[in-house]
Amino acid sequence: MSSLVIKLFFPLFLSLSMICLSSCIPRDDLDRRFTSEEEALGQFQLWQKEYGREYDNLKEEAKRFEIFKENLKYIRETNARRESPFDYSLGLNEFADLSREEFSKIFTPDMGPIPKDNMNLNDDDDNDSCPNAPASIDWRKKGAVTKVKNQGYCGSCWAFGSIGAMEGINAIVKGKPSVSLSAQELVDCDKDCYGCRGGWHNRAFEYAINNGGIAKEADYLYTAQDGTCKASTIKRKAVTLSGYKNVTSYSEKSLYCAVSRQPVTVGLNSMDFQFYQDGIYDGENCTRYNVTHISHAVLIVGYDTVAGHDYWIVKNSWGESWGMKGYIFIKRNTDNKNGVCLINCCGSYPTKEAVKPENYYSSI
């Protein structure tokens, strides 16, 4: 039990210990409003135990408790506005003691306006037509998606989003389950990006093309920090590419067609993703931030519809404890040409070799 808790509320926690036999925080408790500081502190203690969080001193612990309270209040207020069981909800996770500013600095840094080389403004993109695309697709079920990974406290989402697309096209072309590729090689070696300070997914594809491929994750392990490039020591590249394409910007049809053929990396504004738990995220709070700037890269691995609600299936890189075991559903078919949180603005995907469209759905 933390020293702050002992000092301030020992009698309370003596009684709580008799009834809170599990470190798990029940969802019903989050949906119920606390009436006292003591109850909020009780949730904080349970959360600390569940995530193994300890602090160096009382001052830091008190600071984190105040942030936790603000985050808990925001989670409750957001969940109270839900009108449908398909609406998204928020929950306490490992980021619950980080302020929005701290979280954004580490996990969703503002990368600025979208570079021109990430944009495709041509209306005649061949991806705009896909009459044979299935009504729904989930590339996870076809062996084209590896397990959810965790970028840690390193702004390497661009690397994970990019290798996910490379893993996908390799599996589709070869008709074999995905091989997990090295995000660390991109972090260390792609000099057109900034390692743990961010980067752009199309430049990651360019690195893999120009470098003759990319290594397996097992041969170039992830360290969650910038390091010296070791690509020259890897004798064999696990996956090679022949090129890449940018999805037509601001065209949801183009993005839909591309995802019908393979997993696609996209940049978006994800500053409100910190506490996402489940449901279809509709971009309710995107307009509260700078929606012309990209702050995160993810991998779209499919799309589907439930009860008339269309959504993208999106793989993140914040570990399986975030969201739905590392995934988020994001609303599609909106009236906004940008898509939810700019998801339609700058998608890219690697190419490996010519594959007839009809084979995409039968080769795996």
Side-chain angles (χ1 to χ4, degrees):
M1 190 173 293
S2 71
S3 53
L4 176 66
V5 172
I6 293 174
K7 187 173 182 180
L8 296 181
F9 294 109
F10 178 79
L12 167 70
F13 278 95
L14 185 61
S15 61
L16 280 177
S17 64
M18 302 299 294
I19 59 176
C20 298
L21 302 179
S22 169
S23 63
C24 266
I25 302 174
R27 180 168 175 173
D28 289 345
D29 284 353
L30 290 184
D31 293 337
R32 177 173 56 83
R33 287 189 178 276
F34 287 143
T35 58
S36 68
E37 183 93 347
E38 291 87 347
E39 288 178 290
L41 190 55
Q43 285 285 22
F44 183 57
Q45 179 66 12
L46 289 174
W47 175 85
Q48 282 183 285
K49 184 176 180 181
E50 183 171 355
Y51 289 96
R53 194 63 50 87
E54 297 181 356
Y55 304 104
D56 293 336
N57 52 63
L58 285 173
K59 182 178 179 180
E60 179 66 17
E61 190 167 7
K63 173 185 175 182
R64 293 299 154 189
F65 174 52
E66 290 301 314
I67 293 173
F68 180 91
K69 281 195 302 181
E70 287 300 311
N71 289 335
L72 186 59
K73 179 174 179 286
Y74 173 70
I75 289 170
R76 284 221 178 94
E77 290 174 347
T78 299
N79 290 348
R81 295 195 297 270
R82 297 176 75 232
E83 298 178 351
S84 160
F86 303 107
D87 292 344
Y88 78 97
S89 68
L90 306 182
L92 293 173
N93 56 29
E94 64 181 292
F95 307 129
D97 65 344
L98 294 178
S99 69
R100 186 175 297 280
E101 293 72 25
E102 290 171 325
F103 179 82
S104 295
K105 184 177 181 180
I106 299 169
F107 296 99
T108 61
D110 186 348
M111 292 300 294
I114 304 169
K116 291 182 179 179
D117 63 353
N118 253 103
M119 303 290 284
N120 177 8
L121 301 176
N122 297 323
D123 293 333
D124 59 349
D125 187 335
D126 58 3
N127 263 336
D128 285 340
S129 178
C130 51
N132 297 320
S136 66
I137 194 164
D138 187 341
W139 288 109
R140 295 174 297 181
K141 297 178 180 179
K142 295 178 176 293
V145 182
T146 59
K147 67 178 182 179
V148 170
K149 301 170 186 178
N150 194 335
Q151 68 188 68
Y153 282 55
C154 167
S156 55
C157 60
W158 61 276
F160 283 99
S162 302
I163 63 168
M166 298 182 208
E167 292 164 349
I169 190 59
N170 186 63
I172 291 168
V173 169
K174 291 192 171 183
K176 298 178 180 180
S178 293
V179 174
S180 190
L181 301 178
S182 174
Q184 191 64 42
E185 180 177 352
L186 291 174
V187 170
D188 292 349
C189 305
D190 188 348
K191 302 309 178 184
D192 288 327
C193 292
Y194 312 104
C196 284
R197 293 179 292 117
W200 295 97
H201 41 284
N202 64 330
R203 294 174 187 171
F205 298 147
E206 290 174 356
Y207 167 83
I209 295 165
N210 297 333
N211 189 55
I214 194 162
K216 285 184 181 179
E217 180 181 29
D219 293 336
Y220 201 142
L221 296 176
Y222 187 65
T223 65
Q225 60 185 355
D226 294 320
T228 303
C229 182
K230 305 178 185 66
S232 61
T233 67
I234 307 298
K235 295 181 179 180
R236 182 179 179 182
K237 301 299 182 183
V239 170
T240 59
L241 304 176
S242 57
Y244 78 93
K245 292 184 178 181
N246 291 330
V247 175
T248 301
S249 299
Y250 311 113
S251 169
E252 188 163 279
K253 181 61 180 296
S254 181
L255 184 58
Y256 171 83
C257 289
V259 176
S260 76
R261 297 184 174 109
Q262 65 187 92
V264 174
T265 311
V266 294
L268 41 67
N269 187 301
S270 62
M271 293 182 182
D272 197 47
F273 286 11
Q274 185 172 354
F275 303 116
Y276 171 82
Q277 179 171 268
D278 56 29
I280 301 173
Y281 184 72
D282 62 3
E284 173 189 17
N285 292 321
C286 282
T287 54
R288 295 172 58 185
Y289 314 106
N290 190 337
V291 295
T292 65
H293 288 199
I294 295 298
S295 62
H296 195 43
V298 293
L299 184 72
I300 302 180
V301 301
Y303 54 80
D304 206 345
T305 301
V306 58
H309 300 274
D310 299 331
Y311 60 90
W312 301 110
I313 305 169
V314 178
K315 181 185 181 183
N316 202 358
S317 54
W318 295 343
E320 291 188 352
S321 64
W322 179 88
M324 295 181 291
K325 295 186 177 180
Y327 286 86
I328 179 174
F329 291 165
I330 297 180
K331 186 176 181 179
R332 61 186 178 91
N333 287 334
T334 68
D335 295 330
N336 186 346
K337 71 172 185 177
N338 295 335
V340 169
C341 298
L342 298 178
I343 197 169
N344 293 347
C345 292
C346 56
S348 303
Y349 57 94
T351 58
K352 187 169 176 64
E353 59 187 52
V355 179
K356 293 181 179 179
E358 59 268 21
N359 288 341
Y360 279 99
Y361 312 116
S362 62
S363 62
I364 296 179

